[in-house]
Amino acid sequence: MRGRSVSPVFVGREDELTALSESFDEARKGRATAVLLGGEAGVGKTRLVQRFAERCAADGAHVLFGGCVELSTEGLAYAPFTAALRQLVREQGPAPVTALLPEGAQRDLARLLPEFGEPNGDGETDTGRARLFEQFLTLLERLADNRPTILVIEDIHWADRSSRDLIAFLSRNLHTPQVLIVMTYRSDDLHRQHPLRPVLAELGRVGGVHRLDLPRLSRDEVAQQMAGILGVVPEYAKVQNVYERSEGIPLFVEAMLEGGADCVFPESMQDLILNSVERLPEETQRVLRVAAAGGTRVSHALLAAVSGLSDVELEAALRPAIAGNVLQIADNRAYVFRHSLIREAVHDELLPGEHQRLHARYAEEISKDRTLVPPGRAVVELAHHWYGARNDHWALISAWEAAQKSSQSFAYTEAVPLLERVLMLWDRVPDAAELIGADHTAVLERACSAANAGADIDKGVKFVKAALSELDETEQPARVARLIVRRAAFKSSKGQLGVIEDLRHALRLVPDRSLDRAEVVTPLSRHLMLRGEVAEAKELISEGLSLVRELGDRCLESDLLLDLGLGHSLNGEVETALGINEQALEIARQEGSGSLITRATGNILDSLMDMGRPEEALRFAEDGWETAKKYGRLRGSGLFILNNWAEVLEALGRWDEAVEIVEAALSHGPALRTRHSLLRVRADIALARGELDIVEGALSESGVIKGRPDDFVQEIISNARLRIGWHLLKGEPGAALSAAEHVLAHPRHSSKAMLSWRLLALLRVVCDAAETPEPGRTAALREQAAEVAAVLSVMGPVAEAYRKTYTGDFDAAAADWERLKRPHNQAKALVRAATSAARTGDREGAAARLQVALPLAKALRATPLIDEIETLARRVGGVQQAQEPSELLTPRELEVLRLVTQGRTNRDIAAELFISAKTVSVHVSNILAKLGVTTRGEAAAAAHRLSLLST
């Protein structure tokens, strides 16, 4: 007896459905963002997610579907997101979708769907891709404001690089309640070099991303599936036979039952899958082979054109395939194979000549009428089919056009392999340059730009080297100079030396009074400033500003002003720096340049902190982060802003929040220099808390321990300070003294005011610690430090407080640090003052200072400082440990305590205060310790008894 080939009964999977439902419940509360559903081909992933989606839709959820196709690997970027967006537009129309997005955002989405109008003409190619990511994030967040939203993305093992990056971005940043992304992939396809493997590993470390593996069916579940297909309860022996041979894979169960009553099992899996195809009429099989060459989904019109059949003939040929459930009808008069394994098996049966002819037919028909494929896909389809047809002439032209289309859609990572195909085919195609309107070097330049925009630095270096090898700088100096500037940028990104030398070389090649010269002067002056070559940098900036104002390039003017502000900041001229940075920001806003707006924001944030205006700095940091997301600068200037934000929090003693921001920023995969800056912030906090393992991990990765060479003065001084602190933490004053001697041996490195006053304050500690064993060396170091201090300017309250610390005016420094709201610096200054008082016999004065310092250190969990205070307190006596509990709790701890008294869990508190559950746990532990209790209930009782939460 023959029944249906697919069971009408959903078999098993209750545990998996429950897990998906629980993830969705978590997502509604903002605790989950994504589910990765893995399983073998044919195990039933699609059926499971469809069942889950049906249940959720019945409960009022909005379910969007997108799938990846094999063509994605050849430039069809963002395929699943484009499909989901097209469904949304089909359901609601372009106008309501546009209303959900920030102003102008639809012009970015127009690069994927023409329904949104004309694409944005923004020339900042490196920001467009990031901005597009932000638009998708915003869209999902806004959709979730109305009702729960699920985005289903199938077959991410076929996802293009841009889609993989967008998936990772959304998984890391989608914290809005009521949104869940469900993704499926073939676990048996993930070989060691598969590009999805590192993405899955990365997502496995992201909180809120759940992994779910779909197992094969059990014997009883196979029996249920067979009963559903056959319409009768099967015999035990037959069930056992099918179960053993199919190994519990539902697709193979179906294929075996399609073989008839005997359930004949072919020799190979491919034969098994083809079993249902080979029973169809010969003409039907021929058309299926044609369809298989077209991809997973083929429109009726395209299939008719390629097969040469009329509508009636095509329908007659396909009817048996549809009746046999080999092929299914999709929307918009298109056909899809029931399972991708069936299409793959049919496609693998094509003979080599047949394969080429069919791809050629597809390319010819799409060339005649591009409406035969969905909007926006024609150029990519043509590149795929002409290449499959082995037609080098048209393969080169179509790959060039597809690369341009990919770049316009911000899919730079897909543009690179297409441009590499152009380069590979170049020597096979006569007059290639005339065909595409660009020479071989121009293709390399385009590939270099795409690699840079896609953050593939290694490939970018390869392309720029190849392009330079083809050019003669005496014949095309400006072109060579642009490539050298790009090479210098790659070197800087990789933390390599030789950047200045490259830029000087480029400057010699460009003509005077030209825009080309201004474009070299700008990065050169910035790198000179960072290296401490201020005089030469200012001279170049003056020349550059004159040039760009004469030529009318306002963006370069803003960029040069930011370089100038950087120089003033390094010299401690913070008010001047702030004014220049604000002028640059105003120009950037007038020009609408996202990269310059966010760079200026980061610089202003730094100036505000140097001027002792932390509240303004924090507000500016929050606004700057939102601005960075708006302009698609999240992974560039946005992470620079996050770094500065973390530095503000570190200075203010809000260390747990700073650590949380650092970890969030690191999860975005920042550029190397930004990563090292973030690690330095983390190391500063770890040093203050005595967390040696964390210190050594951060310093090892950033190259501080091995003394990695660096050009930038800021990094040289900061690294030296951290290295000294590391040696002091380990109780190695001699090694700390050597590190101090090394940095002072280079006057250029220690001449920057804002950085050096902080360093000099630390050198005083080093000399005090090493004076007994090394009196001569410490005396010499003090003399060198005094020479540096004599020429340093003091502008701004922060530099002044560090100066007082260095000169030994500790009480005045402590008062300054208190006004500046920097508790760790205040406590350290008080301990230095107490030490001085104790040496003069003023035990009472020492004890009084320690009395103030101890709660500050305990609130910060600054273990080394606590130990130092307690050791000194035992020597001088008179320090009372008892203190009002309310004075020991920080404002954030009071907020947490208030919620604890309400019986809230750590997860609830985390959601309420927008912090992680881990941070809540730390706060709760601190509260229990400070109140001298051991349980949450005792803490609530203590809060009531001591009136800690009274308003």
Side-chain angles (χ1 to χ4, degrees):
M1 176 179 178
R2 292 287 303 281
R4 304 175 181 87
S5 60
V6 178
S7 172
V9 179
F10 186 79
V11 175
R13 309 309 193 194
E14 286 305 319
D15 289 344
E16 289 74 26
L17 276 173
T18 299
L20 287 170
S21 298
E22 288 174 350
S23 294
F24 190 37
D25 289 340
E26 290 285 291
R28 291 185 180 213
K29 301 172 185 175
R31 299 173 187 165
T33 58
V35 176
L36 294 164
L37 176 63
E40 298 168 274
V43 82
K45 299 180 294 295
T46 297
R47 190 82 185 270
L48 174 62
V49 295
Q50 286 176 345
R51 183 74 166 194
F52 169 66
E54 289 167 3
R55 286 187 179 182
C56 294
D59 290 337
H62 189 187
V63 184
L64 298 172
F65 290 92
C68 305
V69 296
E70 285 182 283
L71 197 58
S72 297
T73 59
E74 297 197 37
L76 187 57
Y78 306 115
F81 298 97
T82 302
L85 198 58
R86 183 174 287 113
Q87 175 192 336
L88 190 61
V89 169
R90 190 167 58 246
E91 293 171 351
Q92 301 184 8
V97 176
T98 299
L100 296 171
L101 297 166
E103 183 179 354
Q106 74 277 8
R107 297 185 65 190
D108 287 328
L109 297 183
R111 297 176 183 272
L112 304 182
L113 278 187
E115 289 90 334
F116 288 104
E118 286 296 317
N120 195 318
D122 183 5
E124 292 188 343
T125 56
D126 59 329
T127 68
R129 181 172 182 264
R131 192 173 58 243
L132 182 66
F133 284 18
E134 291 294 337
Q135 312 301 16
F136 270 108
L137 176 63
T138 300
L139 180 60
L140 287 174
E141 291 173 340
R142 299 283 172 81
L143 286 171
D145 288 340
N146 299 321
R147 57 173 168 156
T149 300
I150 298 172
L151 173 60
V152 176
I153 304 177
E154 293 205 75
D155 299 321
I156 62 171
H157 52 278
W158 284 332
D160 56 281
R161 166 73 183 276
S162 292
S163 290
R164 293 196 301 271
D165 289 347
L166 181 49
I167 285 168
F169 173 83
L170 293 175
S171 300
R172 287 193 302 261
N173 293 281
L174 192 59
H175 305 304
T176 300
Q178 298 211 114
V179 184
L180 183 69
I181 305 175
V182 179
M183 296 165 279
T184 70
Y185 64 94
R186 287 188 192 173
S187 54
D188 51 332
D189 270 12
L190 302 188
H191 52 79
R192 290 177 61 86
Q193 301 301 317
H194 197 287
L196 185 62
R197 288 180 70 95
V199 178
L200 294 178
E202 177 189 352
L203 295 183
R205 296 188 292 270
V206 175
V209 176
H210 300 169
R211 291 284 293 268
L212 183 61
D213 293 319
L214 189 60
R216 299 176 179 184
L217 296 179
S218 66
R219 197 197 71 83
D220 289 344
E221 288 169 338
V222 168
Q224 294 175 45
Q225 182 187 8
M226 292 174 65
I229 293 173
L230 299 172
V232 296
V233 177
E235 298 174 358
Y236 176 85
K238 189 172 186 179
V239 171
Q240 190 66 22
N241 182 43
V242 171
Y243 174 65
E244 288 177 355
R245 293 177 177 275
S246 68
E247 297 183 336
I249 295 179
L251 181 67
F252 297 163
V253 173
E254 295 168 2
M256 288 188 69
L257 295 183
E258 286 171 354
D262 295 332
C263 296
V264 177
F265 194 79
E267 292 182 2
S268 69
M269 289 295 177
Q270 181 160 331
D271 290 340
L272 172 62
I273 294 169
L274 288 173
N275 195 21
S276 58
V277 175
E278 291 173 345
R279 290 198 310 274
L280 297 172
E282 181 56 39
E283 178 63 6
T284 301
Q285 293 185 47
R286 184 186 75 83
V287 176
L288 287 176
R289 289 195 294 274
V290 175
T296 305
R297 177 191 179 101
V298 184
S299 72
H300 177 90
L302 179 58
L303 189 55
V306 174
S307 65
L309 300 175
S310 67
D311 286 347
V312 173
E313 291 170 334
L314 180 59
E315 289 166 356
L318 292 180
R319 195 173 300 281
I322 294 169
N325 202 31
V326 172
L327 210 62
Q328 296 175 337
I329 301 174
D331 20 348
N332 297 325
R333 297 195 72 202
Y335 303 106
V336 295
F337 284 86
R338 174 166 62 87
H339 197 283
S340 56
L341 283 177
I342 300 175
R343 190 202 73 81
E344 292 167 20
V346 173
H347 188 266
D348 288 346
E349 290 293 295
L350 293 173
L351 298 174
E354 187 180 19
H355 180 274
Q356 292 184 26
R357 286 194 300 275
L358 285 175
H359 279 293
R361 290 288 300 125
Y362 272 103
E364 290 162 0
E365 294 301 331
I366 295 170
S367 297
K368 293 176 190 175
D369 183 2
R370 297 195 172 200
T371 64
L372 291 172
V373 294
R377 285 185 54 166
V379 291
V380 176
E381 295 271 2
L382 286 170
H384 169 69
H385 289 301
W386 282 126
Y387 189 63
R390 302 296 186 265
N391 186 315
D392 293 341
H393 175 97
W394 285 109
L396 181 139
I397 295 172
S398 59
W400 176 254
E401 291 178 352
Q404 291 177 303
K405 175 67 168 60
S406 293
S407 294
Q408 290 165 3
S409 300
F410 306 134
Y412 307 110
T413 50
E414 282 62 56
V416 169
L418 288 164
L419 290 166
E420 288 178 318
R421 183 182 297 175
V422 173
L423 294 168
M424 179 192 69
L425 295 170
W426 194 267
D427 292 334
R428 302 182 197 171
V429 180
D431 303 323
E434 288 73 16
L435 289 173
I436 64 172
D439 61 18
H440 190 266
T441 307
V443 179
L444 286 167
E445 290 170 325
R446 184 73 63 88
C448 177
S449 296
N452 177 63
D456 193 341
I457 304 302
D458 291 333
K459 277 196 174 181
V461 170
K462 180 185 74 173
F463 292 134
V464 79
K465 285 182 177 179
L468 283 170
S469 71
E470 295 182 0
L471 298 175
D472 185 338
E473 66 180 45
T474 61
E475 296 179 1
Q476 295 178 286
R479 193 176 185 183
V480 171
R482 284 192 291 272
L483 285 166
I484 291 174
V485 169
R486 176 68 74 189
R487 183 176 68 189
F490 286 143
K491 284 183 178 180
S492 181
S493 296
K494 292 172 71 70
Q496 296 176 344
L497 301 179
V499 175
I500 294 288
E501 290 72 16
D502 272 356
L503 293 173
R504 290 192 194 281
H505 182 191
L507 190 64
R508 291 193 295 269
L509 296 176
V510 292
D512 295 338
R513 313 306 299 173
S514 68
L515 196 59
D516 285 329
R517 184 173 181 84
E519 288 175 344
V520 179
V521 162
T522 303
L524 177 56
S525 63
R526 181 182 312 123
H527 281 273
L528 286 169
M529 281 291 188
L530 291 168
R531 273 183 45 163
E533 306 288 351
V534 177
E536 182 183 358
K538 284 186 174 179
E539 185 178 335
L540 282 170
I541 289 171
S542 178
E543 176 194 350
L545 285 171
S546 172
L547 265 176
V548 297
R549 285 166 179 164
E550 175 187 327
L551 298 171
D553 194 315
R554 298 279 281 165
C555 285
L556 278 178
E557 180 182 358
S558 175
D559 215 355
L560 285 163
L561 286 171
L562 290 172
D563 292 346
L564 185 60
L566 173 63
H568 287 292
S569 177
L570 289 173
N571 280 335
E573 301 157 357
V574 289
E575 290 190 11
T576 303
L578 180 61
I580 292 172
N581 287 332
E582 288 176 338
Q583 181 185 351
L585 177 61
E586 182 58 31
I587 294 173
R589 283 173 172 164
Q590 292 171 5
E591 296 299 306
S593 171
S595 60
L596 291 171
I597 289 171
T598 49
R599 184 186 169 207
T601 298
N603 288 2
I604 290 172
L605 170 60
D606 196 48
S607 296
L608 288 171
M609 200 57 193
D610 289 344
M611 293 175 69
R613 293 155 63 176
E615 291 84 3
E616 290 178 67
L618 285 175
R619 288 196 297 272
F620 215 78
E622 293 185 47
D623 293 342
W625 175 241
E626 293 302 318
T627 301
K629 291 196 288 186
K630 173 184 174 183
Y631 284 102
R633 300 293 302 179
L634 189 147
R635 290 185 64 186
S637 302
L639 296 186
F640 172 59
I641 290 170
L642 277 191
N643 179 78
N644 286 3
W645 190 353
E647 287 178 346
V648 174
L649 292 169
E650 182 272 328
L652 295 177
R654 293 164 61 174
W655 292 348
D656 293 328
E657 295 172 70
V659 168
E660 201 165 325
I661 284 182
V662 167
E663 290 176 350
L666 290 172
S667 72
H668 288 291
L672 189 63
R673 287 193 183 277
T674 304
R675 182 174 183 83
H676 288 171
S677 295
L678 289 161
L679 290 171
R680 281 192 286 270
V681 177
R682 185 66 186 92
D684 267 322
I685 296 170
L687 276 173
R689 284 183 165 165
E691 299 166 332
L692 186 59
D693 289 346
I694 295 176
V695 172
E696 292 183 340
L699 298 190
S700 177
E701 182 177 345
S702 55
V704 175
I705 291 178
K706 291 185 177 180
R708 180 180 58 83
D710 208 303
D711 274 350
F712 292 178
V713 170
Q714 289 172 290
E715 296 186 3
I716 291 169
I717 295 180
S718 295
N719 289 346
R721 182 176 52 74
L722 289 169
R723 189 180 183 88
I724 291 168
W726 171 55
H727 285 305
L728 290 176
L729 181 61
K730 294 197 298 176
E732 300 172 347
L737 186 63
S738 297
E741 290 169 338
H742 178 77
V743 72
L744 285 192
H746 300 79
R748 179 172 65 85
H749 295 170
S750 55
S751 62
K752 304 302 114 188
M754 190 62 250
L755 298 167
S756 293
W757 282 122
R758 184 177 184 182
L759 177 65
L760 291 178
L762 178 62
L763 295 192
R764 183 184 181 102
V765 178
V766 174
C767 289
D768 289 346
E771 190 156 25
T772 300
E774 297 282 358
R777 291 173 63 194
T778 55
L781 186 65
R782 290 186 198 275
E783 288 182 14
Q784 284 182 284
E787 291 172 3
V788 172
V791 298
L792 287 181
S793 60
V794 184
M795 296 185 183
V798 177
E800 175 64 13
Y802 277 123
R803 186 195 67 79
K804 289 176 180 176
T805 304
Y806 162 68
T807 59
D809 193 356
F810 299 122
D811 284 320
D816 285 352
W817 292 127
E818 183 177 16
R819 282 193 296 272
L820 292 167
K821 299 180 180 179
R822 300 194 178 194
H824 191 236
N825 285 356
Q826 179 191 352
K828 288 192 295 182
L830 286 168
V831 173
R832 302 286 88 77
T835 302
S836 297
R839 285 172 181 166
T840 63
D842 183 7
R843 296 163 64 87
E844 185 176 338
R849 292 173 175 87
L850 296 177
Q851 187 79 41
V852 178
L854 184 58
L856 293 173
K858 283 189 172 182
L860 295 167
R861 303 199 308 282
T863 303
L865 188 57
I866 294 170
D867 293 343
E868 187 178 354
I869 292 170
E870 292 178 343
T871 299
L872 184 57
R874 285 192 292 271
R875 290 169 52 199
V876 302
V879 178
Q880 300 296 320
Q881 300 293 322
Q883 188 170 354
E884 286 298 319
S886 60
E887 296 177 8
L888 290 179
L889 297 184
T890 66
R892 175 64 91 184
E893 287 167 349
L894 286 171
E895 291 175 350
V896 172
L897 179 58
R898 185 185 302 277
L899 296 171
V900 167
T901 62
Q902 297 171 10
R904 307 283 285 276
T905 67
N906 285 2
R907 283 184 176 272
D908 292 336
I909 296 171
E912 178 77 17
L913 300 181
F914 300 101
I915 57 179
S916 71
K918 179 181 177 182
T919 299
V920 174
S921 177
V922 171
H923 283 314
V924 171
S925 297
N926 292 341
I927 291 167
L928 297 179
K930 291 178 181 181
L931 296 182
V933 297
T934 57
T935 68
R936 297 165 81 97
E938 291 175 355
H944 177 72
R945 183 178 68 255
L946 299 171
S947 301
L948 296 180
L949 303 178
S950 59
T951 56

